[in-house]
Amino acid sequence: MTSKLDQLKAVTTVVADTGDIDAIARLKPVDATTNPSLLLKAAALPRYARLLQEAVAGCDGDLGLACDRFGVAVGQEILKVIPGRISTEVDARLSFDSRATLQRAERLIGLYEQAGIGRERVLIKIAATWEGIRAAEQLEKAGIQTNLTLLFSFAQAVACADAGVYLISPFVGRIYDWYRKAEGRDFTGAEDPGVRSVTRIYRYYKANGYPTVVMGASFRNLGQIEQLAGCDRLTISPELLQQLTEDQGPLERRLAPNQPGEARQTLDEAAFRWQLNEDAMATEKLAEGIRLFARDQERLEALLAKL
């Protein structure tokens, strides 16, 4: 019997959720994703010391630019060991400013292109706020493809598909965390709220012919991953990828394009904000996620300021 990782790779594109190049090279995912928290962890690794110094050089105290340069430098290193694409995130503090998000995304793509990396190998990560989705819509029209992150609600998924974004990242584990705390009980298998959320979105997209890629993210255990086998993509931490490598049990495909889904719907801004407001979990986790990424962005800036 082949490993569960190999079985998963047969039905789902596997993405590494890390900035650790050694782990990526060992586990051989197709794509990789980073975010401010992962970049902060990467900054502590000795192999990135030179990249930190280079990121600061010539920035004239512009720590936002230094962070972008470091994120792109890490992305370049990761692209050397994967065949696919790297996702690089816009500063979370711009999550409610469409114009600023557009400008930062264009700068990130420009930095990659200056390094000889074509935009076809990069996804720009943006929080799935109304403003972020609108920025992504414009970027997609300009030929810059996006990964809408911090996605917790069906309303966010509907709006992203209508905006023509390339990829969404529903956060399975964080949804699970919220419901586990709120209801005081554990969830397993298909009843896991995070699994149910991604399953619903995947089936909705396929039933209505949306090309937007669904990439489940933020996993807490192998059971969540196994329940989503067949999803377009799954971005998985090195620890869970290693567990999948070591597990030789059978893996059943759970999601497939021909499964039934809900009727197509369209949300204007008022409907989007209302539906998001009505979902306490999504409202809280989106706000929390933006705050956490913003704090890690600030910690990275503080680290760069000392160099």
Side-chain angles (χ1 to χ4, degrees):
M1 179 68 72
T2 57
S3 73
K4 281 188 177 177
L5 181 58
D6 287 337
Q7 293 174 70
L8 181 63
K9 287 179 176 179
V11 296
T12 291
T13 299
V14 173
V15 180
D17 194 11
T18 181
D20 185 340
I21 293 174
D22 292 333
I24 293 170
R26 183 177 73 254
L27 296 163
K28 297 180 172 57
V30 174
D31 295 342
T33 62
T34 61
N35 60 44
S37 303
L38 294 175
L39 288 178
L40 187 62
K41 290 180 181 178
L45 300 175
R47 69 180 302 157
Y48 289 126
R50 175 182 57 83
L51 298 183
L52 284 168
Q53 294 287 348
E54 292 174 353
V56 173
C59 283
D60 297 324
D62 186 340
L63 296 176
L65 176 57
C67 283
D68 283 354
R69 290 176 64 178
F70 179 65
V72 169
V74 172
Q76 289 177 66
E77 294 300 307
I78 292 172
L79 285 172
K80 293 176 182 178
V81 296
I82 62 171
R85 308 176 79 157
I86 183 69
S87 287
T88 299
E89 192 151 346
V90 169
D91 187 337
R93 294 169 297 186
L94 306 179
S95 295
F96 303 102
D97 188 333
S98 295
R99 182 185 297 275
T101 295
L102 272 168
Q103 293 172 343
R104 190 61 65 89
E106 289 167 348
R107 183 165 80 181
L108 287 168
I109 286 293
L111 289 169
Y112 273 111
E113 290 180 337
Q114 289 171 24
I117 305 294
R119 61 182 59 186
E120 73 280 356
R121 296 203 69 193
V122 181
L123 294 178
I124 299 297
K125 287 181 77 175
I126 300 169
T129 58
W130 180 258
E131 294 81 3
I133 295 168
R134 299 282 67 81
E137 184 175 33
Q138 295 182 60
L139 289 166
E140 294 284 351
K141 290 176 180 177
I144 298 173
Q145 292 185 311
T146 57
N147 170 353
L148 272 289
T149 188
L150 294 176
L151 195 143
F152 302 99
S153 74
F154 190 66
Q156 289 172 291
V158 168
C160 285
D162 278 344
V165 308
Y166 178 77
L167 180 148
I168 63 168
S169 297
F171 276 42
V172 178
R174 296 194 195 185
I175 294 174
Y176 162 83
D177 293 343
W178 191 92
Y179 279 101
R180 187 181 184 192
K181 181 179 179 180
E183 298 189 14
R185 65 187 183 97
D186 203 358
F187 300 89
T188 59
E191 73 163 357
D192 184 307
V195 169
R196 289 171 59 191
S197 176
V198 176
T199 298
R200 181 187 182 192
I201 293 166
Y202 174 89
R203 290 177 176 171
Y204 172 76
Y205 278 14
K206 303 312 175 191
N208 292 287
Y210 286 114
T212 299
V213 174
V214 180
M215 182 172 75
S218 170
F219 293 102
R220 299 292 180 258
N221 54 64
L222 291 190
Q224 292 171 336
I225 297 168
E226 292 172 8
Q227 286 294 324
L228 295 174
C231 192
D232 297 327
R233 302 185 190 188
L234 298 176
T235 180
I236 306 169
S237 69
E239 294 78 15
L240 288 174
L241 285 173
Q242 188 62 42
Q243 289 181 40
L244 287 167
T245 299
E246 295 167 357
D247 192 334
Q248 301 293 311
L251 181 70
E252 177 184 351
R253 180 169 189 165
R254 302 284 183 170
L255 299 182
N258 59 355
Q259 294 167 339
E262 299 167 47
R264 188 171 186 146
Q265 58 177 284
T266 300
L267 302 176
D268 61 13
E269 182 177 357
F272 171 87
R273 293 193 185 281
W274 178 250
Q275 288 193 23
L276 186 61
N277 179 75
E278 287 292 277
D279 188 333
M281 175 277 298
T283 299
E284 292 177 20
K285 297 308 287 187
L286 173 60
E288 176 189 69
I290 291 171
R291 286 195 300 269
L292 291 174
F293 281 163
R295 297 297 83 76
D296 282 340
Q297 179 84 14
E298 290 163 358
R299 292 185 184 100
L300 182 57
E301 288 181 358
L303 176 65
L304 290 165
K306 295 177 181 178
L307 298 179

